[in-house]
Amino acid sequence: MVVTVAEEGNRRKGGMSIAEARQCVNDTITWFKRIDDFDCIEGSEEDLEPLAKATTMEVPTTLVCLLEACKGSIWFAEKMGLSADGIVDALGKFDFGDKLLPFAADEDQEYFLVINDKTGEVCEFESEDGTLGDVVGTSFENYLESYSQSLMSNKYEYVEDCGLMEKAGAGRK
């Protein structure tokens, strides 16, 4: 008997459920807990109230889960995740317009990862000239899920004060 596989994996139809979002966040935080100096302080719904007031965008459910599970301190490569207060501060300090929501920044807050409310995509953003850079995810959910899978696949290593660096050869098969 011949079996033909039309598609690899168990592909999701539709968006990420709340349970899947929480599991993705949990997987990501679990990976970071292996790092000696990782300090994850849990957030709360009250922490998110100023953020809801500071933006007209709907904050993606997966980002809400992440902010409630850990106030910042998650590295996205060389950019540190922002807490809800950090996002509010960045919105007040830089001109993101009304369609961009920052969630991570480099140490000098020159380069950000933002969610583009118009397209839903995760993009790089340069604060100095206010330009959008490369699209790094089709949505925050997809970006975090792909990132979490890369962490779980041991494709990154933590470098103190630098963030996460992709291991040599980790991106190749």
Side-chain angles (χ1 to χ4, degrees), residues 67-140:
L67 293 170
E68 287 178 344
C70 191
K71 294 180 177 185
S73 65
I74 297 289
W75 285 92
F76 296 94
E78 72 284 351
K79 295 172 184 74
M80 174 65 83
L82 300 171
S83 65
D85 289 338
I87 294 171
V88 171
D89 291 345
L91 288 170
K93 186 175 179 182
F94 302 102
D95 184 16
F96 291 101
D98 61 349
K99 296 293 181 195
L100 300 177
L101 183 67
F103 67 90
D106 70 347
E107 185 178 348
D108 300 323
Q109 291 198 335
E110 292 176 1
Y111 298 96
F112 287 84
L113 289 175
V114 297
I115 300 165
N116 185 335
D117 191 37
K118 186 175 181 181
T119 63
E121 298 169 327
V122 174
C123 305
E124 294 178 333
F125 177 84
E126 188 174 339
S127 64
E128 189 173 301
D129 59 9
T131 58
L132 279 176
D134 293 337
V135 173
V136 295
T138 57
S139 69
F140 183 75

Side-chain angles (χ1 to χ4, degrees), residues 8-163:
E8 286 188 36
N10 186 8
R11 302 283 181 217
R12 176 187 309 111
K13 292 183 177 23
M16 190 181 281
S17 71
I18 298 287
E20 290 170 322
R22 286 193 178 115
Q23 184 60 52
C24 184
V25 166
N26 185 51
D27 290 345
T28 303
I29 290 171
T30 298
W31 189 92
F32 279 93
K33 285 183 178 178
R34 301 180 330 179
I35 300 169
D36 289 337
D37 63 348
F38 177 71
D39 187 23
C40 179
I41 301 169
E42 281 192 39
S44 67
E45 287 184 29
E46 292 81 34
D47 293 333
L48 299 174
E49 289 173 10
L51 175 58
K53 292 177 184 175
T55 183
T56 57
M57 286 179 58
E58 183 176 334
V59 180
T61 303
T62 307
L63 181 56
V64 169
C65 290
L66 182 62
L67 293 170
E68 287 178 344
C70 191
K71 294 180 177 185
S73 65
I74 297 289
W75 285 92
F76 296 94
E78 72 284 351
K79 295 172 184 74
M80 174 65 83
L82 300 171
S83 65
D85 289 338
I87 294 171
V88 171
D89 291 345
L91 288 170
K93 186 175 179 182
F94 302 102
D95 184 16
F96 291 101
D98 61 349
K99 296 293 181 195
L100 300 177
L101 183 67
F103 67 90
D106 70 347
E107 185 178 348
D108 300 323
Q109 291 198 335
E110 292 176 1
Y111 298 96
F112 287 84
L113 289 175
V114 297
I115 300 165
N116 185 335
D117 191 37
K118 186 175 181 181
T119 63
E121 298 169 327
V122 174
C123 305
E124 294 178 333
F125 177 84
E126 188 174 339
S127 64
E128 189 173 301
D129 59 9
T131 58
L132 279 176
D134 293 337
V135 173
V136 295
T138 57
S139 69
F140 183 75
E141 287 79 10
N142 290 341
Y143 173 78
L144 186 64
E145 182 176 42
S146 175
Y147 186 65
S148 179
Q149 288 171 352
S150 292
L151 292 173
M152 296 296 132
S153 298
N154 207 25
K155 292 182 179 179
Y156 287 93
E157 63 184 326
Y158 175 73
V159 178
E160 191 172 343
D161 297 328
C162 293

